[in-house]
Amino acid sequence: MKLKDIFLGSSAILSWATTAAAFSPPSLRKTHISRSQHEPRVGYAGQVRRLSPLSVSYSGMGGTAISLDEWTERDVYSMEEWAQTYGVQKIDGVELYTADGEDWQLITNSYVQAGSSVLYIPSNLVLSSEDVVREFGQDLELSENALVQMDKGQKKRLPLFRLMVKILGEYEKGQDSQWYLWLNSLPRRFYNGVSMTDACFECLPPYAAVLSMNERNTYSRFVNAIRKGWVPIGQEIIHDDRVVKWAYNVALTRFTEVWNPVRQKLIAPMTDMLNHSSEPNVEVTFDDLGNCIVNAIADIQPGSPLTISLGDPTNPTPLFAQYGFLANDCKTIFCKAIHLEEQIIDLGYDFKDLLFQTETGEIAPKVWDIFLYKLLQDNDFEAANQFYVACKTDDEETKQQYHDYYFPYTLQELKNHVYSILGEVDQLTMKAQSYDLETHPRVPVIVAHNDLVRDTFVMTQQLLESMG
């Protein structure tokens, strides 16, 4: 069997573009949710819920503080009224929708033509990591220096750190914050790696655990830098674990990254209600004045959600680790060969190249490459070097000769890997299912992730068995 016949993977890369505004504020009518007349739309089960006024706690700073109790209802409708007051505009038919009162998204009840502008957020509402630098000045610089001294790798994540500081500062202001009603509309409970307990980590396969732990480690370093005391935020705020973790999660899960004129992370309230899809129908852009415009990149039918891409659709595990959800439209997953990372790096491959198809179990050609390369390294150093050169020079003929000759051995190595992952995932899922959901509410998304891995690997197992 020729490897080229086995599977050819594909990937999609989302690029955030900086464009001029497609429309100006005066040209759009403000729209509003019709609460009493709202009916469930195509593809959505359940009723839209009208939220009761948010219960609040009180602190000595900034008046009324935001309740961070995980069961607090999200006051999304007040946020929408606030957004319209500050100049946010939507085309007719675009509205907020929820099926359960917890997860919210933007949908359209009208046909939207590709190229249309559907949402406008003025720059005065956009939170910018560059603006945070100007606002906090030297105090922020001292904190950032401390962060980079802990881990030089955190330098590339400074824009995220700045947004976290901004969220904490606005949280401290309570009702005095311009963004109070937006903050009050945000989820209190997150399901991503940072939010997982140690018990949750014990139920994750290695790759998911590594990605989730990376986020947790970044969060810990951010907190340590903030608690050095340089940023002018009250000690009772920065030493409240629940507050700082919430602020980190808000920044982590709601930003848009842009690269022009400088690299920065931005949060435009209302755009954070756009859900993920591997086939997005809108994109988020910013004009030269910092205004945010959401444009349709495909024709959108009535009753459809407005969606963006939050990451590589070929590999859902990073989305799981960062955002805490499992994409239900993913076509591929990483082959979980985390133990071959050295070989992956040597050959210049990426995890997005090393895929199993979720619908068929088919195997990407480069998966065979890394398993054969490891096999040759362990048994024939000269052959390993020749195969390495063939991979680096795209010498497909030589590669195929090696694959044909060593196929039975590579096949067995892949079988062993798949059997191992299947056994491990079954044990991890059984452990997760033994937990009490009252104390471990993130179990369902963990089990869903493990089930996706298991179902895919079962199909891959069957395919491998058919090969010999």
Side-chain angles (χ1 to χ4, degrees):
M1 177 177 292
K2 299 293 186 182
L3 290 182
K4 66 182 180 180
D5 297 328
I6 295 174
F7 172 70
L8 179 61
S10 62
S11 64
I13 301 174
L14 176 67
S15 171
W16 296 111
T18 302
T19 65
F23 54 86
S24 57
S27 65
L28 261 184
R29 289 205 314 272
K30 297 180 181 178
T31 60
H32 187 67
I33 295 177
S34 175
R35 299 170 185 165
S36 60
Q37 298 178 1
H38 187 109
E39 296 294 333
R41 302 299 176 183
V42 176
Y44 297 92
Q47 298 290 329
V48 173
R49 295 180 55 185
R50 171 72 184 276
L51 300 185
S52 58
L54 184 71
S55 58
V56 295
S57 59
Y58 292 86
S59 69
M61 297 173 296
T64 304
I66 298 166
S67 171
L68 295 186
D69 182 89
E70 286 195 343
W71 299 105
T72 300
E73 289 187 324
R74 300 172 60 183
D75 190 2
V76 174
Y77 290 125
S78 294
M79 181 277 293
E80 190 206 22
E81 294 170 355
W82 161 83
Q84 291 174 353
T85 299
Y86 275 86
V88 171
Q89 300 177 44
K90 305 186 266 87
I91 61 172
D92 288 335
V94 171
E95 60 183 48
L96 289 160
Y97 174 87
T98 182
D100 58 10
E102 182 176 0
D103 294 323
W104 289 81
Q105 62 183 315
L106 285 167
I107 69 169
T108 179
N109 293 318
S110 303
Y111 172 77
V112 179
Q113 186 174 9
S116 303
S117 296
V118 298
L119 186 62
Y120 170 91
I121 299 92
S123 60
N124 63 307
L125 281 192
V126 176
L127 291 90
S128 158
S129 58
E130 285 298 293
D131 288 344
V132 178
V133 174
R134 289 185 281 272
E135 179 179 350
F136 287 88
Q138 187 177 10
D139 295 329
L140 179 67
E141 183 179 357
L142 292 170
S143 294
E144 291 181 353
N145 290 340
L147 176 61
V148 174
Q149 286 176 2
M150 293 179 216
D151 180 0
K152 288 183 173 57
Q154 295 301 322
K155 187 172 184 178
K156 64 183 180 182
R157 304 203 77 176
L158 288 179
L160 179 65
F161 178 75
R162 294 163 186 168
L163 285 181
M164 178 185 177
V165 169
K166 178 63 174 175
I167 298 298
L168 285 171
E170 297 304 317
Y171 172 86
E172 183 179 38
K173 295 176 184 176
Q175 286 185 322
D176 293 336
S177 167
Q178 173 183 334
W179 289 274
Y180 172 78
L181 290 174
W182 171 69
L183 294 171
N184 219 8
S185 74
L186 298 176
R188 274 56 165 188
R189 175 184 294 178
F190 293 85
Y191 295 84
N192 55 4
V194 173
S195 304
M196 291 182 185
T197 63
D198 290 339
C200 291
F201 272 86
E202 294 175 1
C203 302
L204 293 175
Y207 179 50
V210 167
L211 294 179
S212 298
M213 185 58 71
N214 287 343
E215 287 299 343
R216 181 188 279 195
N217 290 340
T218 294
Y219 163 72
S220 296
R221 289 179 173 85
F222 279 19
V223 172
N224 288 337
I226 289 172
R227 287 177 177 172
K228 295 292 184 181
W230 284 301
V231 291
I233 299 173
Q235 292 294 306
E236 57 268 56
I237 298 293
I238 64 175
H239 287 278
D240 187 323
D241 290 338
R242 184 168 61 171
V243 173
V244 292
K245 183 172 290 187
W246 178 77
Y248 179 84
N249 276 327
V250 169
L252 179 68
T253 61
R254 313 193 95 73
F255 73 82
T256 298
E257 188 163 38
V258 299
W259 296 85
N260 291 311
V262 295
R263 175 178 177 255
Q264 61 176 318
K265 286 180 166 58
L266 307 165
I267 300 178
M270 194 66 77
T271 65
D272 57 340
M273 295 293 184
L274 297 167
N275 276 356
H276 167 80
S277 173
S278 63
E279 297 180 356
N281 54 29
V282 301
E283 68 176 355
V284 179
T285 65
F286 293 85
D287 66 18
D288 293 339
L289 298 177
N291 302 304
C292 178
I293 305 97
V294 178
N295 297 314
I297 57 176
D299 293 339
I300 308 173
Q301 299 302 317
S304 300
L306 303 182
T307 58
I308 57 175
S309 174
L310 293 173
D312 183 358
T314 66
N315 187 5
T317 304
L319 293 174
F320 168 79
Q322 179 175 346
Y323 295 98
F325 70 84
L326 189 67
N328 58 12
D329 59 352
C330 59
K331 302 273 192 301
T332 54
I333 63 171
F334 173 54
C335 68
K336 312 303 177 188
I338 194 74
H339 64 292
L340 298 182
E341 187 170 12
E342 179 182 339
Q343 286 71 33
I344 295 170
I345 294 172
D346 277 357
L347 295 180
Y349 292 171
D350 193 279
F351 286 177
K352 67 183 179 182
D353 302 319
L354 308 169
L355 307 171
F356 292 166
Q357 281 195 351
T358 58
E359 296 177 352
T360 64
E362 290 179 287
I363 304 163
K366 289 183 178 180
V367 175
W368 294 90
D369 287 353
I370 61 171
F371 275 88
L372 175 55
Y373 183 46
K374 172 60 173 173
L375 184 69
L376 293 174
Q377 284 181 318
D378 291 343
N379 295 280
D380 190 333
F381 183 74
E382 183 178 351
N385 276 340
Q386 292 174 352
F387 183 73
Y388 168 83
V389 172
C391 290
K392 299 295 283 187
T393 59
D394 295 324
D395 184 351
E396 296 299 327
E397 183 178 355
T398 300
K399 282 176 58 179
Q400 192 62 55
Q401 290 174 357
Y402 274 98
H403 278 300
D404 289 344
Y405 188 80
Y406 289 99
F407 181 75
Y409 305 100
T410 313
L411 177 63
Q412 189 58 52
E413 289 299 314
L414 258 173
K415 285 182 178 180
N416 294 341
H417 170 65
V418 170
Y419 297 152
S420 174
I421 294 294
L422 283 172
E424 184 176 38
V425 166
D426 283 343
Q427 292 180 2
L428 294 171
T429 298
M430 288 177 60
K431 185 169 189 175
Q433 290 173 332
S434 70
Y435 292 163
D436 182 356
L437 292 180
E438 290 293 324
T439 53
H440 298 283
R442 295 161 187 88
V443 161
V445 71
I446 293 173
V447 171
H449 173 271
N450 292 359
D451 284 348
L452 174 64
V453 173
R454 186 185 188 284
D455 292 345
T456 303
F457 272 62
V458 165
M459 287 184 286
T460 301
Q461 177 191 28
Q462 294 169 349
L463 182 64
L464 292 171
E465 292 293 348
S466 72
M467 295 178 185

